[in-house]
């Protein structure tokens, strides 16, 4: 390997220590055409194989950019390792299934797209147990689905000893992929290697040792150190062709139509000048057919006999123009050569090669998804049969490769006659293309397409226009244009004649959702009520359930807990009675219902509806609802202290949001992920803060739910990082001022709790007093246990600051008990950790130890690394000079511990009930739980146990 010693040294070091968490997981090799990127990949792969690594090598191709996952299919098609490892064969089968499936558009819905990302990462992890290098060449030509998968692997690398190495041209790399690699490089996950031109000495010694020194130097100067170009110049010199005036023009001012520097193109094409007619025809067919270039297909495409094809391919191998690939496929020796041959082939003959290939594939039973690229490139005018193949293929790719689906539909629409009799058909295809564009992240293009359709549909096609309006409103919302979405929807509802009852329900629900996102639900309350009434009067139970669920979420958002609970009960009853197919048309109903139940602290019901919603959405390919359901799952699992699954849900939501291209949706998903990362990462880890920063950058400062949430989560992250002033600024920005007037009422007490802590840390006790008082007022209005607990915790911070440690302990224990009541296990543990050192300080060492043990157990079991670290940090304060606490007492909640202490002091159940303001039945329930957890048979045994550990004393 000439001239790349420094790059190879860095790659060798990565391979030697592969698996270390502090090293890059991705290598990004960049450079101009012919600079040696592929050669460097060859060398890395060879060295990795020598040291026992599994190596997978794939290459993207210029003329297969609309074949989904072509790059990864090529990498997984290596017949050697595939036979040895079942995981590789399974991964290859999965990708092949997408490309060669039935094409019905289901493919298990959108699940096939995003679950595939995680599935491939899991396959790579499994393959990497002994070390794996995945090398992807010519990444700049990768199809959109492969690019999306690379993006996922950059953000969520396969675990273990797995290295992803990519090679690409900078100027031809799509912006989104460049951004993903730059983001990874900034975070340390990506190592970028830029290949520079070779020196004169290195070039001449390696590529022109037999050329006279003076001539060799002139050839190097002409090549400007580009190895491929120098190779071509040396070849021209040796064969007597004059290279005078040929320069590579690295800066791209003289590129030929194939994207190859003009001088280099001329030299490469010179190799083809002496080919016979059959050889030329064979080379051109190989260039057109791509990975379909088998001997049999070449015979069909060229019209030559199989024996003639064998002879011609053999002769072309001798001339080093063709090389044999996996499964008997033929390819030109370099992608640049293929590009030159393809672009230089006569258009009529090129189209005929594709037409013959498409016919042969159809004859063999290949699905539309497999035939589509040849059908597309064979089109020279309107062909209804060809168009039907492309439409069918687009439907097959809609869930797994929507960018390809949008492209194929554009091809059909471009060729379809724009005549009045075809308007309805065109309109349906435009809707399908706009939907595919929206799903693939091209929101603006989708919105613009729908605007044109809305205007051209006019009064003559009301059904089509209303569908376009509803779809366009979704695009406007994702683009951050909720006011425009609202205006569009109201205009459609005001038309005479108006939409059908079913469409009217959908439009009014869309109005309600837009109002929620802009924190103006009261303005749409009447629209939602009308949606309920219309759906009910027209026996539309799905629409009624959706409207009731949206009403529940809207009222919960506004802090109207009683009304929200009433609507949630009604929506839940209706939704539970509907079948999955019945709910599929309005899967948003489960999104709204689950979030309403989450805000109402009904986590069991919320999780049940989240699980069902995810199942329906994945099966039916409803991408737009998945991030909302997944963020709700992440929040529920965080609150109930199941942090690993919370992070998994948050990361999947983030992946879908990034693919959707909506900044506001991305901000929302990152906001939830920020809170998850804060709890799941170690104390002092900065990932939550950086994610919070990205969340607010994406969501901006708009007056809406998602933006407010992003700023709140940034506030929590900055407070945890030790910056109370910035924490206050972030949360008051979210709330629109010190009293948080614009913030969702149902979460205000929790935000005020953080503000109280931040104000005290900043020395502003007066402001802390005001915020603590407001937190209690807001909590009293909401009647939600978790929010009341937050207010109690805020008050505890305040009284602790005033030196009343005993009251602070009681308030924190009361907060922990409120969290037990509503199922917020994570915050119960946090409250106990706050209380434990204070209890030790006032002489309640054994009690402090019990609190610490329970909190520590919850944190460890739930994967809450931050709380585990906090527990270890305070352990010396809590466990000093305390009696050993039996393990069974660590199981007790704060309230159960309180009841057990009062039993040890001799109080009756009635006395305990009066002391704790509980019913006698509740006390009896607590005692049953205490007996079971503490493994004691009686009241007397419990009293004895408590006395032995020093928890039975006191008045």
């Amino acid at each position: 390997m000439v001239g790349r010693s420094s790059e190879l040294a860095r790659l060798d070091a990565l391979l030697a220590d592969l698996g270390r968490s502090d090293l890059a997981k991705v290598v990004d090799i960049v450079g101009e055409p012919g600079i040696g990127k592929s050669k460097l990949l060859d060398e890395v792969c060879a060295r990795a194989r020598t040291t026992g690594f599994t190596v997978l090598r794939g290459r993207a191709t210029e003329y297969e950019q609309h074949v989904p996952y072509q790059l990864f299919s090529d990498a997984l098609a290596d017949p050697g390792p595939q036979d040895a490892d079942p995981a590789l064969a399974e991964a290859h089968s999965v990708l092949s299934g997408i490309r060669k499936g039935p094409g019905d558009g289901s493919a298990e819905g959108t699940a096939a797209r995003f679950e595939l990302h995680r599935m491939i990462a899991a396959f790579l992890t499994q393959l990497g147990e002994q070390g794996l290098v995945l090398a992807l060449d010519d990444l700049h030509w990768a199809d959109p689905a492969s690019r999306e998968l690379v993006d996922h692997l950059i953000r969520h690398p396969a675990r273990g000893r797995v290295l992803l190495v990519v090679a690409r041209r900078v100027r031809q790399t799509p912006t989104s992929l460049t951004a993903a690699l730059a983001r990874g490089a900034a975070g340390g996950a990506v190592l970028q290697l830029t290949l520079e031109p070779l020196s004169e000495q290195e070039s001449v010694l390696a590529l022109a040792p037999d050329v006279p020194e003076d001539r060799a130097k002139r050839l190097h100067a002409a090549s400007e150190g580009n190895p491929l170009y120098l190779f071509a110049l040396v070849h021209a010199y040796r064969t007597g062709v004059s290279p005078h005036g040929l320069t590579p023009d690295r800066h791209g001012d003289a590129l030929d139509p194939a994207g190859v520097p003009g001088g280099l193109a001329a030299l490469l094409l010179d190799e083809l000048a002496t080919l016979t007619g059959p050889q030329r025809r064979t080379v051109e067919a190989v260039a057109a057919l791509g990975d379909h270039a088998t001997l049999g297909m070449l015979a069909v495409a060229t019209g030559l006999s199989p024996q003639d094809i064998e002879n011609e391919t053999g002769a072309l191998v001798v001339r080093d123009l063709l090389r044999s690939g996996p499964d008997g496929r033929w390819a030109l020796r370099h992608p640049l050569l293929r590009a030159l041959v393809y672009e230089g082939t006569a258009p009529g003959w090129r189209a005929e090669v594709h037409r013959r290939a498409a016919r042969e594939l159809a004859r063999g039973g290949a699905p539309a998804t497999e035939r589509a690229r040849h059908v597309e490139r064979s089109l020279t005018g309107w062909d209804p049969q060809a168009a039907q193949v492309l439409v069918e293929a687009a439907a097959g790719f809609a869930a797994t490769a929507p960018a390809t689906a949008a492209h194929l539909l554009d091809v059909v629409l471009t060729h379809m006659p724009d005549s009045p009799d075809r308007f309805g058909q065109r309109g349906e295809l435009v809707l399908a293309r706009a939907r595919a564009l929206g799903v693939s992240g091209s929101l603006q293009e989708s919105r613009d397409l729908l605007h044109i359709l809305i205007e051209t549909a006019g009064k003559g096609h009301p059904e089509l226009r209303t569908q376009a309006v509803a779809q366009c409103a979704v695009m406007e919302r994702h683009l951050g244009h909720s006011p425009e979405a609202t205006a569009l929807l109201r205009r459609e509802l005001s038309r005479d004649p108006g939409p059908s009852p079913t469409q009217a329900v959908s439009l009014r629900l869309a109005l309600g959702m837009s109002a929620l996102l802009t924190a103006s639900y009261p303005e749409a309350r009447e629209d939602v009520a009308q949606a309920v009434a219309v759906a009910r009067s027209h026996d539309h139970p799905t629409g009624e359930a959706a409207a009731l669920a949206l009403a529940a979420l809207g009222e919960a958002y506004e802090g109207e807990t009683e009304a929200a609970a009433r609507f949630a009960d009604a929506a839940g009853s209706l939704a539970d009675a509907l079948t999955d197919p019945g709910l599929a048309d309005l899967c948003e109903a489960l999104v709204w219902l689950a979030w309403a139940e989450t805000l109402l602290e009904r986590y069991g019901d919320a999780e049940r509806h989240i699980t069902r919603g995810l199942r329906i959405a994945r099966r039916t390919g409803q991408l737009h609802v998945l991030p909302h359901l997944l963020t709700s799952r992440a929040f529920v699992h965080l609150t109930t202290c199941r942090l690993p699954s919370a992070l998994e849900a948050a990361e999947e939501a983030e992946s879908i949001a990034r693919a959707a291209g909506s900044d506001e949706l991305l901000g929302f998903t990152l906001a939830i992920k920020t809170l998850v990362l804060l709890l799941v990462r170690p104390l002092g880890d900065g990932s939550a803060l950086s994610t919070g920063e990205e969340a607010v950058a994406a969501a901006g400062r708009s007056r809406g739910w998602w933006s407010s949430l992003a700023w709140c989560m940034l506030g929590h992250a900055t407070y945890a990082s030790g910056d109370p002033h910035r924490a206050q600024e972030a949360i008051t920005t979210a709330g629109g001022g010190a009293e948080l007037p614009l913030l969702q009422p149902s979460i205000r007490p929790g935000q005020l709790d953080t503000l109280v802590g931040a104000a005290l840390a900043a020395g502003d006790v007066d402001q802390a007093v005001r915020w603590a008082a407001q937190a209690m007022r807001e909590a009293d209005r909401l009647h939600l246990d978790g929010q009341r607990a937050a207010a109690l915790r805020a008050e505890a911070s305040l009284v602790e600051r005033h030196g009343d440690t005993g009251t602070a302990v009681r308030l924190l224990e009361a907060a922990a008990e409120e969290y037990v009541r509503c199922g917020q296990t994570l915050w119960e543990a946090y409250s106990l950790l706050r209380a434990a050192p204070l209890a030790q300080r006032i002489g309640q060492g054994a009690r402090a130890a019990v609190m610490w043990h329970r909190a520590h157990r919850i944190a460890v079991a739930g994967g809450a690394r931050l709380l585990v670290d906090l527990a270890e940090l305070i352990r010396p304060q809590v466990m000093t000079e305390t009696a050993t606490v039996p393990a069974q007492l660590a199981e007790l909640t704060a309230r159960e511990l309180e009841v057990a202490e009062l039993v040890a002091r001799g109080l009756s159940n009635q006395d305990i009930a009066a002391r704790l303001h509980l019913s006698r039945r509740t006390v009896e329930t607590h005692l049953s739980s205490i007996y079971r957890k503490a493994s004691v048979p009686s009241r007397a045994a419990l009293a004895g146990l408590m006395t032995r550990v020093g928890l039975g004393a006191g008045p």
Side-chain angles (χ1 to χ4, degrees), residues 114 151-152 155-156 183 626-628 630-631 634 647-662 665-674 677 691 694:
F114 294 100
D151 184 298
H152 178 86
R155 287 182 291 106
H156 309 294
R183 209 165 43 235
L626 285 175
H628 306 282
L630 288 163
T631 49
L647 182 59
E648 182 181 342
E651 289 184 335
E652 184 182 356
E654 176 199 355
S655 295
I656 299 172
R658 287 190 187 279
S662 167
L665 181 60
L666 177 61
F668 172 57
T669 59
L670 289 174
I672 299 296
K673 184 181 177 183
T674 297
L677 287 173
T691 303
E694 187 182 357

Side-chain angles (χ1 to χ4, degrees), residues 26 133 198 266 463 505 514 530 557 621 638 709 733 779 797 929:
V26 181
V133 170
L198 296 180
E463 288 277 333
V505 169
S514 290
Q530 286 187 38
Y557 181 98
L638 176 142
L709 192 65
T733 296
S797 298
S929 177

Side-chain angles (χ1 to χ4, degrees), residues 394-682:
F397 287 138
T400 54
T404 296
H407 167 76
L408 294 176
L409 291 170
D410 186 43
V411 172
V412 175
L413 288 164
T414 299
H415 288 86
M416 179 182 282
D418 192 3
S419 55
D421 62 310
R422 294 187 182 275
F423 185 87
Q425 184 184 7
R426 284 186 67 87
E428 292 297 335
L429 292 176
V430 168
L431 274 177
R433 181 166 183 257
R435 189 177 301 114
L437 286 168
V439 167
S440 64
S442 300
L443 300 176
Q444 187 66 46
E445 190 177 355
S446 175
R447 176 254 191 204
D448 293 346
L449 201 61
L450 291 164
H451 270 223
I452 294 171
L453 181 57
I454 290 166
E455 290 305 310
T456 55
K459 294 183 178 180
H461 299 84
E463 288 277 333
L464 192 62
R465 186 194 63 236
T466 302
Q467 288 181 60
V469 165
Q471 197 167 312
C472 189
V474 175
M475 296 302 106
E476 297 283 17
R477 284 206 310 268
H478 282 316
L479 286 165
H481 305 159
S482 286
E484 289 87 340
T486 298
L488 197 63
L489 292 163
R490 290 206 180 280
R491 177 189 176 198
E492 189 65 18
L493 282 165
S494 67
R495 287 184 183 271
D496 186 18
S500 69
T502 298
Q503 288 180 323
V505 169
S506 296
L507 294 176
R508 292 191 186 280
L509 291 177
L511 269 174
M513 189 61 196
S514 290
L516 261 179
L517 294 179
T518 54
S520 56
Y521 178 75
E523 297 174 14
R525 190 175 268 134
E526 182 57 32
D527 290 293
V528 177
Q530 286 187 38
V532 173
V534 171
R536 189 173 290 159
S537 65
H538 286 82
D539 193 25
H540 184 9
T542 305
E544 184 181 353
L548 288 167
L550 184 56
L553 180 55
E555 300 301 344
Y557 181 98
E558 292 298 318
E560 301 296 337
T561 305
E562 185 177 342
R566 187 169 63 252
F567 284 127
D569 289 339
S573 296
L574 272 175
D576 291 346
L578 290 167
T579 63
D580 284 0
L583 273 170
D585 289 339
L586 270 173
C587 197
E588 291 92 338
L590 293 174
V591 173
W592 300 327
L593 180 56
W595 265 112
E597 289 166 335
T598 299
L599 294 176
L600 291 169
E601 300 175 355
R602 301 176 173 184
Y603 302 117
D605 289 338
E607 183 147 23
R608 182 165 54 83
H609 290 126
I610 290 165
T611 301
R612 189 181 182 195
L614 287 170
R615 185 174 66 244
I616 295 172
R618 293 187 199 283
R619 189 169 60 243
T620 56
Q622 298 190 55
L623 172 76
H624 61 291
V625 303
L626 285 175
H628 306 282
L629 288 165
L630 288 163
T631 49
S632 182
R633 167 175 278 181
F635 188 80
V636 169
H637 283 208
L638 176 142
T639 302
T640 54
C641 205
R642 290 173 284 170
L643 272 300
S645 56
L647 182 59
E648 182 181 342
E651 289 184 335
E652 184 182 356
E654 176 199 355
S655 295
I656 299 172
R658 287 190 187 279
S662 167
D663 287 341
E664 289 200 343
L665 181 60
L666 177 61
F668 172 57
T669 59
L670 289 174
I672 299 296
K673 184 181 177 183
T674 297
L675 189 58
V676 176
L677 287 173
L678 185 61
L679 275 301
V680 81
R681 295 286 190 246

Side-chain angles (χ1 to χ4, degrees), residues 48 187 238 246 290 346 528 560 604 786 789 805:
R238 287 170 178 159
L246 300 180
V528 177
E560 301 296 337
T805 308

Side-chain angles (χ1 to χ4, degrees), residues 48 144 154 171 203 210 223 321 327 356 361 422 458 462 531 543 658 678 723 789 808 869 883 885 887 892 936:
I154 293 169
R171 286 179 297 142
S203 300
D210 57 331
S223 74
L321 287 171
D327 303 326
R356 292 179 182 183
L361 289 169
R422 294 187 182 275
R658 287 190 187 279
L678 185 61
D723 190 346
D869 288 355
V885 178
L892 302 186
V936 293

Side-chain angles (χ1 to χ4, degrees), residues 830-886:
Y830 176 62
S831 299
L832 291 173
L833 289 175
R834 288 271 307 274
L838 301 181
Q840 173 65 252
R841 198 183 303 166
I842 60 174
Q844 296 182 1
R847 187 181 189 84
V850 171
M851 292 177 183
W852 186 92
H853 279 293
R854 175 167 174 78
H856 185 263
R857 180 181 58 80
I858 290 171
V860 170
R865 178 63 187 276
L866 178 74
L867 297 191
V868 172
D869 288 355
L870 180 59
E872 294 302 328
L873 191 67
I874 66 171
R875 182 199 283 263
Q877 305 171 45
V878 174
M879 308 304 282
T880 302
E881 298 179 1
T882 60
T884 302
V885 178

